[in-house]
Amino acid sequence: MPDHPTPSARARELVAGAYDTHIHVAPDVMRRRTDDLTLAARFAEVGLAGFVLKSHYVPTAERAAVVRAAVPGFGAVGAITLNASVGGMNPIAVEIAARGGAQVVWLPTVDSANQRACTATDPEGATPPMWARLQADLRESGISADPVEVVGAGGDVLEPTRQVLRVIAKHDMTLATGHLAAAEIETVVDAAVAEGVRRIVITHPEFTSQRVAIDRQRALAAKGALLERCFTTPHSGKVSWETWLEHISAVGPEHSVLSSDLGQPFNPPVEDGLALLADRLLAEGYTEKDVRTMAVDNSRRLAGAVS
């Protein structure tokens, strides 16, 4: 594996108690750097409180329950992502996931209409997401599902989306916006607030298929949403570190949450992601309080560790 930077002791201490709310680890349909049980022990060793298990394809509440039993006191959190493999915008799937203990609901990612239709190309040298190859394999096999629609052609929130939002609100789950387009994100956030959803996070707004402008980020923050600042987005070259940092400053650290989006075999260890972000932010002049707010306070809220 390639050499990766090692976080400082100061950074480790600053992110102690945090949840990494966006990781991709085994078991999965793609090769991953580590598995959830091994990672939980490693997280505990470095002082991190928990993680949210994200899969683009399967619910993870049952996996999270096994991790919690195997590593007592560790905060493993289950989730569901509303891609075609779970029936898309399927309120029944969300209800079952909630009853199984899932906390986070991602709107469509790899199967979103926006991601399918996105013509934006990654910057030169950017590392493509691992799921892109799998999506191509599905298409080549002739079993690719239609895009999962969330917002109608006229800009209205579709009824299945409203049903999903009601389930999220009923169970006090966290809504993550997935790979929706910027305009769709704003529409869905308005609907989610109206339905009583209390925790909303805008999934990696700097990602190539989102590219949420600063003014829109500010507007979403004013509605109570947190903006997710993922390590992998600038690390893999999908956006510059300068732009990533500018967005945090423009919207405010109090409205941002740090996550890693790590787990890929070629990227740094998952347990290093938040601390590496802390080192980068400290080097750029952000205060220790800023880092704690983004890494710890806001991540614990999204993970359901804080009401």
Side-chain angles (χ1 to χ4, degrees):
M1 288 189 181
D3 290 333
H4 297 294
T6 301
S8 69
R10 181 188 181 197
R12 289 273 194 219
E13 184 177 349
L14 273 180
V15 301
Y19 279 68
D20 191 338
T21 58
H22 190 155
I23 66 169
H24 297 277
V25 296
D28 198 1
V29 294
M30 286 165 276
R31 191 165 64 92
R32 296 303 185 186
R33 185 183 178 102
T34 188
D35 65 86
D36 46 20
L37 287 171
T38 302
L39 184 62
R42 183 61 185 142
F43 262 47
E45 288 173 9
V46 299
L48 295 169
F51 50 52
V52 178
L53 291 167
K54 182 178 183 183
S55 168
H56 290 295
Y57 299 101
V58 297
T60 62
E62 290 81 1
R63 279 174 57 191
V66 171
V67 174
R68 291 195 301 272
V71 187
F74 185 75
V77 178
I80 185 172
T81 306
L82 300 182
N83 287 316
S85 58
V86 300
M89 297 303 293
N90 182 356
I92 296 174
V94 179
E95 179 71 29
I96 297 301
R99 294 188 185 203
Q103 171 62 32
V104 180
V105 179
W106 270 276
L107 295 181
T109 56
V110 300
D111 289 326
S112 71
N114 174 60
Q115 187 63 60
R116 294 279 192 90
C118 184
T119 56
T121 56
D122 286 349
E124 184 177 354
T127 305
M130 291 182 71
W131 48 259
R133 181 66 255 172
L134 176 56
Q135 292 300 103
D137 288 345
L138 292 174
R139 286 194 301 273
E140 291 163 9
S141 300
I143 57 174
S144 180
D146 291 336
V148 177
E149 300 286 352
V150 176
V151 176
D156 53 317
V157 174
L158 298 175
E159 183 56 27
T161 304
R162 290 199 181 277
Q163 291 177 326
V164 163
L165 295 176
R166 290 178 193 127
V167 175
I168 293 171
K170 180 176 73 170
H171 292 284
D172 200 20
M173 302 169 85
T174 297
L175 170 68
T177 56
H179 293 198
L180 301 187
E184 293 178 309
I185 290 170
E186 194 159 18
T187 299
V188 168
V189 168
D190 286 342
V193 171
E195 294 292 349
V197 176
R198 295 198 309 132
R199 298 180 185 89
I200 303 171
V201 58
I202 311 305
T203 307
H204 45 47
E206 288 80 31
F207 198 77
T208 47
S209 57
Q210 275 79 67
R211 296 294 199 233
V212 182
I214 286 177
D215 287 349
R216 184 164 259 153
Q217 289 192 31
R218 288 195 185 110
L220 291 164
K223 296 171 184 178
L226 290 172
L227 287 301
E228 180 188 37
R229 313 301 182 181
C230 290
F231 174 85
T232 57
T233 311
H235 178 75
S236 61
K238 294 178 178 64
V239 71
S240 69
W241 280 104
E242 290 74 19
T243 297
W244 188 87
L245 291 160
E246 286 169 8
H247 287 187
I248 292 175
S249 295
V251 181
E254 68 275 19
H255 299 300
S256 294
V257 60
L258 303 183
S259 70
S260 76
D261 198 6
L262 283 170
Q264 306 80 13
F266 45 80
N267 275 334
V270 184
E271 67 271 18
D272 289 353
L274 295 181
L276 288 173
L277 287 178
D279 275 329
R280 170 74 68 156
L281 290 160
L282 291 170
E284 295 292 334
Y286 289 86
T287 68
E288 292 189 352
K289 181 181 179 182
D290 290 337
V291 174
R292 289 284 298 178
T293 295
M294 291 186 279
V296 183
D297 299 343
N298 288 344
S299 74
R300 293 179 66 86
R301 177 170 170 257
L302 292 181
V306 177
S307 61

